[in-house]
Amino acid sequence: MIAVDWGTSSLRLYRLDAHGQVCGRRRSQRGLQASAGQFEAVLAEEIKGWDDPLILLSGMVGSRGGWQEVPYLACPAGIDDLAAGLVSLATTALPQRQLWIVPGISDTASETVPDVMRGEETQLAALLAVLPRGNHVVCLPGTHSKWVSISNGRIQRLATAMTGELYALLRGHSLLGRLMPEDDGRFDAWAFESGLKRSRQAGGLLHHLFGVRTLGLFDRMEGGALPSYLSGLLIGHEILASGALEHSPRLAQVHLIGNDRLLALYAQALTAWGIGVQRHPEDLAARGMHALWQRRMEPGPHSEHP
């Protein structure tokens, strides 16, 4: 089968063998925005040379404005619910293929304002297939970080923090960024730790953010260290808002899913505050889609065969 993770800005494709192992992978910058109105043609081009008959798609391709809108599944939801919620997609440009879209997940009961995820649920599906019974916390860092509570194999609650997007906006389009040099990828561990410590002090995020500028104005931190300080500050506030520290020490660990660079930052922050972590690669989405299809094809009340 082919597993497709179709995000807003990028497109990841995985070719899987019968056991769910990745035997080929491709990446494209033709995400939702670049593919609007031509999803079928883009997919046909991106999978050239891969003749597998089954294609599962997840992410923004199933959103409003995507290829075909697929309704969210409401929490609590488990892997069987996700498998049963797969939606068939008709196509003319890809004959002899079966296309299915994975539904996203919504949390409308936790707060007065609803929360949603679309795409991350495939990564969670891979975990749901193997996690032992009990309570677990998962964090998926990114442009819009997700914090997910899992109990006995079912996603119970989720919360989104716009940490990555806010960092990019402040870094590139605010007064704070004017004291920072061009992004060269340099990381300052001391500045990051300083931002983490500051997030736990009085004043709140809005006051703390202005301090990024004043540290530079009064030469208490060089411009090259300010991005790392800002990162530590925002991630610290995200973790505090997640409630993870309130459950420590009962919370033994947080499962982290994502790319190595982001996971290193979140792992550093969590372990600094006494919470263990278990890291999982971002291509967990491919394994999750394979697990969903296996559940879909199993006989039982949760399954409706195509």
Side-chain angles (χ1 to χ4, degrees):
M1 62 176 285
I2 298 171
V4 180
D5 180 6
W6 210 322
T8 302
S9 57
S10 64
L11 174 61
R12 296 181 180 88
L13 306 99
Y14 305 93
R15 192 180 194 187
L16 310 177
D17 64 19
H19 304 289
Q21 298 300 311
V22 176
C23 53
R25 67 184 71 213
R26 295 173 181 174
R27 182 165 183 168
S28 165
Q29 296 306 309
R30 293 197 286 185
L32 175 74
Q33 296 171 336
S35 301
Q38 50 182 348
F39 295 102
E40 199 169 13
V42 168
L43 180 61
E45 185 174 340
E46 293 293 342
I47 64 171
K48 278 182 180 176
W50 290 359
D51 57 0
D52 310 85
L54 174 63
I55 304 174
L56 261 62
L57 304 105
S58 70
M60 297 304 290
V61 68
S63 68
R64 189 171 303 173
W67 190 342
Q68 176 177 311
E69 184 175 9
V70 176
Y72 292 102
L73 292 180
C75 290
I79 189 169
D80 288 339
D81 301 297
L82 283 165
L86 292 172
V87 173
S88 179
L89 179 63
T91 174
T92 57
L94 296 165
Q96 312 303 318
R97 310 262 193 164
Q98 292 185 62
L99 274 66
W100 297 81
I101 299 182
V102 182
I105 293 179
S106 66
D107 183 351
T108 58
S110 298
E111 305 289 348
T112 55
V113 177
D115 212 320
V116 297
M117 66 166 57
R118 198 180 282 280
E120 295 90 351
E121 73 284 338
T122 56
Q123 295 171 310
L124 292 172
L127 281 188
L128 293 174
V130 298
L131 282 177
R133 290 183 63 82
N135 299 321
H136 304 273
V137 174
V138 183
C139 174
L140 302 98
T143 303
H144 297 158
S145 296
K146 307 290 182 181
W147 287 81
V148 183
S149 299
I150 294 174
S151 180
N152 296 326
R154 291 172 69 79
I155 299 167
Q156 300 291 335
R157 302 185 65 177
L158 65 96
T160 303
M162 295 178 63
T163 308
E165 183 168 353
L166 181 57
Y167 174 85
L169 288 170
L170 294 172
R171 178 84 169 80
H173 304 284
S174 80
L175 192 66
L176 303 184
R178 294 183 183 179
L179 292 177
M180 302 178 188
E182 292 293 323
D183 188 3
D184 58 1
R186 185 166 68 94
F187 175 70
D188 189 308
W190 174 82
F192 181 81
E193 290 284 349
S194 298
L196 278 179
K197 292 176 182 176
R198 179 59 173 158
S199 70
R200 299 190 70 173
Q201 297 172 0
L205 176 60
L206 297 180
H207 174 59
H208 290 170
L209 285 174
F210 192 70
V212 178
R213 175 168 173 77
T214 55
L215 283 172
L217 287 175
F218 287 87
D219 296 322
R220 295 189 182 181
M221 189 173 291
E222 64 172 9
L226 290 177
S228 298
Y229 177 84
L230 174 61
S231 180
L233 187 64
L234 291 174
I235 290 174
H237 275 281
E238 177 189 328
I239 293 173
L240 290 170
S242 75
L245 296 189
E246 298 172 14
H247 297 99
S248 180
R250 289 186 292 115
L251 178 60
Q253 68 176 4
V254 170
H255 292 270
L256 294 173
I257 304 174
N259 67 63
D260 291 339
R261 183 185 64 82
L262 276 178
L263 293 200
L265 296 179
Y266 279 73
Q268 182 175 341
L270 287 163
T271 55
W273 289 346
I275 298 176
V277 300
Q278 184 171 343
R279 305 188 199 192
H280 305 274
E282 95 184 303
D283 64 5
L284 213 59
R287 285 164 46 192
M289 281 186 264
H290 181 265
L292 287 176
W293 188 251
Q294 293 299 306
R295 292 297 181 102
R296 175 85 183 189
M297 297 305 294
E298 288 178 1
H302 64 271
S303 174
E304 180 180 335
H305 286 287

